[in-house]
Amino acid sequence: MTPSVVTATFLCTEGDYLEAIIEADGQRLHVMDEFGGAQLAAGTQIRLELWPQASEGGDWDAMFTANPGREKGLRRLDGWRYLALGVVTQVDPVICDCGLLQVEDAFHTRDVRCVGAYVGVTLSRLDACLP
């Protein structure tokens, strides 16, 4: 799996391995702090790797009907959980282009007919760490 590397503005953290808030590409993100945010001042610019953690066992029909607007992006559900909206760019392994990040292995298929389909996959967590 390849992380997405972003330049972000650090806003705040609850501590190591707890929830932190950053802003990347104009979007406020709630992430797991694996970058030592407690050592940073609010407003600090930092390069981070974003590691999306797809939820296990998502409902196939729900994934393929969750993105009727054919969007790419992240919608926060709660905490550090997100609905990642994007397009399937490859299968085996499945990769979804969700704009700010690529989500790998959100679901499993070898069916090439899925390439080009717009989906919505649930991320159980979005981790942020130093490159």
Side-chain angles (χ1 to χ4, degrees):
M1 186 160 31
T2 305
S4 297
V5 179
V6 299
T7 299
T9 302
F10 169 75
L11 300 176
C12 63
T13 187
E14 294 178 3
D16 290 344
Y17 307 106
L18 300 174
E19 188 172 299
I21 303 174
I22 61 172
E23 190 169 293
D25 198 31
Q27 185 170 2
R28 188 170 284 215
L29 300 171
H30 293 248
V31 298
M32 178 188 263
D33 183 344
E34 295 187 37
F35 57 89
Q39 309 304 313
L40 301 175
T44 300
Q45 294 291 301
I46 185 170
R47 284 190 55 77
L48 294 171
E49 292 179 348
L50 298 180
W51 292 86
Q53 309 295 320
S55 294
E56 295 291 320
D59 178 87
W60 186 271
D61 290 332
M63 282 188 291
F64 281 86
T65 58
N67 193 357
R70 302 168 67 95
E71 300 174 56
K72 290 183 184 177
L74 298 173
R75 287 195 186 147
R76 183 169 176 240
L77 299 173
D78 57 55
W80 48 40
R81 287 181 356 109
Y82 288 88
L83 178 62
L85 300 171
V87 62
V88 177
T89 58
Q90 80 172 50
V91 294
D92 200 20
V94 171
I95 297 180
C96 299
D97 176 2
C98 298
L100 182 63
L101 50 86
Q102 307 286 307
V103 178
E104 279 186 46
D105 289 328
F107 59 95
H108 301 282
T109 186
R110 291 188 175 107
D111 189 342
V112 296
R113 294 176 296 175
C114 291
V115 173
Y118 281 81
V119 296
V121 296
T122 302
L123 303 181
S124 59
R125 192 174 73 225
L126 184 57
D127 295 352
C129 60
L130 295 173

